[in-house]
Amino acid sequence: MRHDLLGLELSMAQAMLQSKGIDPEITVTRSPRRQDDTGCTMRVVYASDDGKQLTVSNFVDPIADGLLENG
């Protein structure tokens, strides 16, 4: 597994791989209870050793959802 890609935003992971000539196949997974992806960021949760397969999922962006307080 490519640990260096885990947790990255999808666009950033794709850019890293494309700079090495890899165009990954992307599989999207989601929580069955979460229907609204507003304010979410697509992040890598699995990357194959060769980087040719990525699994991504939406994660709540705490800034967009106002979950972080100014401090």
Side-chain angles (χ1 to χ4, degrees):
M1 185 178 330
R2 295 270 315 250
H3 295 280
D4 60 323
L5 299 175
L6 297 181
L8 292 180
E9 288 187 23
L10 175 58
S11 59
M12 184 179 285
Q14 284 179 303
M16 287 175 62
L17 291 170
Q18 288 174 350
S19 72
K20 297 178 182 182
I22 301 170
D23 187 24
E25 177 183 327
I26 298 167
T27 302
V28 178
T29 186
R30 68 174 19 222
S31 168
R33 293 184 296 173
R34 184 163 183 90
Q35 299 301 316
D36 181 16
D37 291 333
T38 305
C40 291
T41 302
M42 192 72 71
R43 295 190 179 275
V44 177
V45 295
Y46 170 79
S48 63
D49 289 336
D50 59 8
K52 292 183 179 180
Q53 296 180 343
L54 299 179
T55 301
V56 297
S57 186
N58 275 317
F59 285 82
V60 175
D61 181 352
I63 295 171
D65 278 357
L67 299 177
L68 293 181
E69 295 180 22
N70 293 332

